[in-house]
């Protein structure tokens, strides 16, 4: 089955993206390549002042006809969709609206708007007139994307915590392989809310300052928000989603299996699905949250599957952990990396940390500034969620991969 799927092209035609680094590829890529962490800002979401990756770009208004879906999460999605609206419109004309599907991931949906609405009710005794339950439903994101773009194919939302965005992309690839559609809008969007911030604070998982993945001084993560939505087709060429792998630790409701066995199984599955050997991976985007448990498990899994020589980095110290959007967001970072490759190779986002290695962990190769991977490159991105919900994606391309860098 994996050989059949790997032989079928799965092109990531284009991507719209917004995060703490900015809005759109042209704004984000230079900051990502430079390891610019200035987008993290201090906010108090109920657990004391902490650094968060906040979307600062102006968000577009949602048209009146979609008022029941008007929330910050969907406004972020709309901003992202507008970056690739021409490509989506072209796919809709080419294949027909009934063959254009939507598979997206989120974990918070419109919870921040619900928090504000219930705070207003506490003050006034009534919910605001503009509030509707559809604003906070998990499935509301897929509904909104479909109605905004005119897609009339399969449309659904996945919510598997921090692996949601990556799993949505894997599911979208499966729809194409099954001939259930000809094009898919896929990825993830998540917005910050007090519930999530206070939940992670209760788990003592939020960093006191900037997250410090793989350091012996690591003390937690920075939360973030953002979105990345791809247009995916069965076309050959360009940047391809070569393979995906999924696994479940079934170990603990929040902590990963300490030995990294579930993570390793997920990475191996992605390699098998892509028909690749471990030595063919030129770069790994780590899940890399900066929590003691995640980094220990992931370092062991990486060493077991890929060895100690593959360049790795976590981009979460630059944008925060965008939860349900993180898998798609980091796949978008890999897409940008491949799109900006040249004869000298593809530039690697550097790993931002204090350089204090944890000698109890396998010493994986953390990328430095100006590191590059020889092209045409093949890269992997890891996303690991609560409950041991794991997903790995493998992307590859060549020097002609992107028509709109």
């Amino acid at each position: 089955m994996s050989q059949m799927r790997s032989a079928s092209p799965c092109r990531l035609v284009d991507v719209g993206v917004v995060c703490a680094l900015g809005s759109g590829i042209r704004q984000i890529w230079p900051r990502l390549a430079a390891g610019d962490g200035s987008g993290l800002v201090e906010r108090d979401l109920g657990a004391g002042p902490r650094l968060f990756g906040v979307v600062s770009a102006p968000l577009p208004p949602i048209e009146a006809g979609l008022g029941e879906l008007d929330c910050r999460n969907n406004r972020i999605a709309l901003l992202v969709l507008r970056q690739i609206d021409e490509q989506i419109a072209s796919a809709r004309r080419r294949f027909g609206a009934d063959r254009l599907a939507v598979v997206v991931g989120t974990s918070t949906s419109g919870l921040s708007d619900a928090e504000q609405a219930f705070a207003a009710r506490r003050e006034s005794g009534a919910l605001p007139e503009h509030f509707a339950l559809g604003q906070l439903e998990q499935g509301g994101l897929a509904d909104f994307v479909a109605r905004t773009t005119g897609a009339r194919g399969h449309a659904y939302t996945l919510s598997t915590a921090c692996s949601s965005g990556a799993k949505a992309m894997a599911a979208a690839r499966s729809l194409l392989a099954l001939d259930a559609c000809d094009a898919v809008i896929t990825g993830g969007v998540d917005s910050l809310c007090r519930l999530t911030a206070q939940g992670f604070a209760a788990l003592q998982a939020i960093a006191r300052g900037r997250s410090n993945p793989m350091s012996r001084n690591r003390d937690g993560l920075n939360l973030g928000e953002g979105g990345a939505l791809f247009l995916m087709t069965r076309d050959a060429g360009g940047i391809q989603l070569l393979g995906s792998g999924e696994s479940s630790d079934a170990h603990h409701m929040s902590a990963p299996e300490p030995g990294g066995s579930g993570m390793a199984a997920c990475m191996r599955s992605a390699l098998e699905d892509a028909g690749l050997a471990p030595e063919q991976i030129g770069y790994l985007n780590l899940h890399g949250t900066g929590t003691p448990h995640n980094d220990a498990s992931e370092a062991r899994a990486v060493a077991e599957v890929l060895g100690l020589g593959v360049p790795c980095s976590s981009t979460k110290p630059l944008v925060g952990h965008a939860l349900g959007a993180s898998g798609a967001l980091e796949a978008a970072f890999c897409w940008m990396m491949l799109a900006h490759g040249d004869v000298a190779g593809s530039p690697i986002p550097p790993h931002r940390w204090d350089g204090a290695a944890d000698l109890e962990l396998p010493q994986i190769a953390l990328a430095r500034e100006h590191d590059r991977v020889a092209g045409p490159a093949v890269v992997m991105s890891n996303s690991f969620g609560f409950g041991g919900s794991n997903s790995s994606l493998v992307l590859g391309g060549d020097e002609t991969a992107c028509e709109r860098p």
Side-chain angles (χ1 to χ4, degrees):
M1 175 61 75
S2 64
Q3 291 178 347
M4 181 188 72
R5 291 177 62 195
S6 298
S8 178
C10 181
R11 185 172 186 176
L12 298 171
V13 177
D14 208 345
V15 62
V17 59
V18 66
C19 61
L21 290 173
S23 178
I25 295 168
R26 294 185 184 277
Q27 189 174 88
I28 291 172
W29 171 247
R31 298 174 182 175
L32 176 68
D36 183 352
S38 62
L40 296 191
V41 296
E42 190 173 277
R43 293 283 189 276
D44 188 347
L45 295 181
R50 293 289 188 272
L51 289 176
F52 292 90
V54 177
V55 170
S56 59
L59 300 181
I62 289 175
E63 61 183 73
L66 295 175
E68 78 277 11
L69 295 173
D70 189 355
C71 61
R72 179 174 178 81
N73 210 57
N74 289 341
R75 287 176 183 242
I76 291 174
L78 182 57
L79 176 61
V80 168
L81 286 169
R82 287 186 174 176
Q83 296 171 19
I84 56 171
D85 57 358
E86 291 183 11
Q87 291 80 0
I88 293 172
S90 176
R92 190 176 59 246
R93 290 191 298 269
R94 176 184 173 191
F95 302 116
D98 291 340
R99 298 289 291 175
L100 177 59
V102 175
V103 186
V104 288
T106 190
S107 71
T108 63
S109 189
L111 279 174
S112 62
D113 295 78
E115 290 170 348
Q116 294 172 30
F118 281 91
R121 188 179 74 168
R122 195 163 51 241
E123 294 295 324
S124 67
L127 289 168
E129 290 185 6
H130 64 268
F131 177 72
L133 289 176
Q135 295 167 356
L136 70 149
E137 289 180 358
Q138 299 289 351
L141 176 60
D143 187 19
F144 174 77
V145 172
R147 291 168 65 180
T148 299
T149 61
R152 294 203 300 265
H154 300 279
Y156 60 92
T157 304
L158 293 176
S159 188
T160 56
C162 310
S163 61
S164 302
K167 283 182 175 285
M169 294 179 66
R173 180 168 173 263
S174 294
L175 285 183
L176 289 172
L178 292 167
D179 195 29
C181 61
D182 293 311
V184 194
I185 301 165
T186 185
V189 181
D190 241 340
S191 48
L192 286 165
C193 64
R194 297 172 69 87
L195 175 69
T196 302
Q198 293 178 43
F200 275 93
L203 291 171
Q204 300 181 342
I206 296 184
R208 290 187 293 273
R210 187 180 301 277
S211 68
N212 202 3
M214 299 298 166
S215 168
R216 65 172 176 265
N217 300 316
R218 66 189 186 277
D219 66 345
L221 53 79
N222 305 122
L223 291 170
E225 63 180 358
L229 294 173
F230 292 84
L231 177 66
M232 180 187 292
T233 69
R234 273 193 298 272
D235 294 331
I239 297 174
Q240 297 275 325
L241 178 54
L242 300 175
S244 64
E246 300 179 52
S247 70
S248 176
D249 286 5
H251 170 73
H252 187 274
M253 68 182 297
S254 61
E257 194 281 315
S261 60
M263 297 176 178
C266 174
M267 295 169 68
R268 285 197 190 93
S269 179
L271 288 171
E272 180 184 0
D273 190 37
L276 296 171
E279 57 268 23
Q280 292 176 272
I281 299 297
Y283 165 74
L284 171 66
N285 185 285
L286 298 163
H287 185 57
T289 61
T291 63
H293 290 309
N294 172 86
D295 291 7
S297 298
E298 188 171 15
R300 291 171 185 133
V302 172
E304 180 181 333
V305 177
L306 300 181
L308 300 179
V310 176
C312 310
S313 66
S314 170
T315 46
K316 287 184 172 69
L318 312 181
V319 298
H321 185 0
L323 302 174
S326 62
L329 190 61
E330 289 159 22
F333 294 161
C334 291
W335 190 97
M336 293 182 208
M337 175 182 156
L338 295 171
H340 288 83
D342 54 29
V343 293
S346 296
I348 296 174
H351 185 80
R352 289 300 186 201
W353 65 318
D354 63 4
D358 185 343
L359 299 182
E360 295 185 3
L361 303 184
Q363 299 303 292
I364 58 178
L366 300 174
R368 299 161 298 181
E369 198 165 351
H370 308 305
D371 279 356
R372 300 178 79 90
V373 57
V378 179
V379 303
M380 178 181 283
S381 181
N382 283 342
S383 298
F384 305 135
F386 271 9
S389 176
N390 305 317
S391 182
S392 294
L393 304 176
V394 178
L395 285 70
D398 56 35
E399 63 274 11
T400 61
C402 181
E403 290 133 8
R404 187 182 65 82

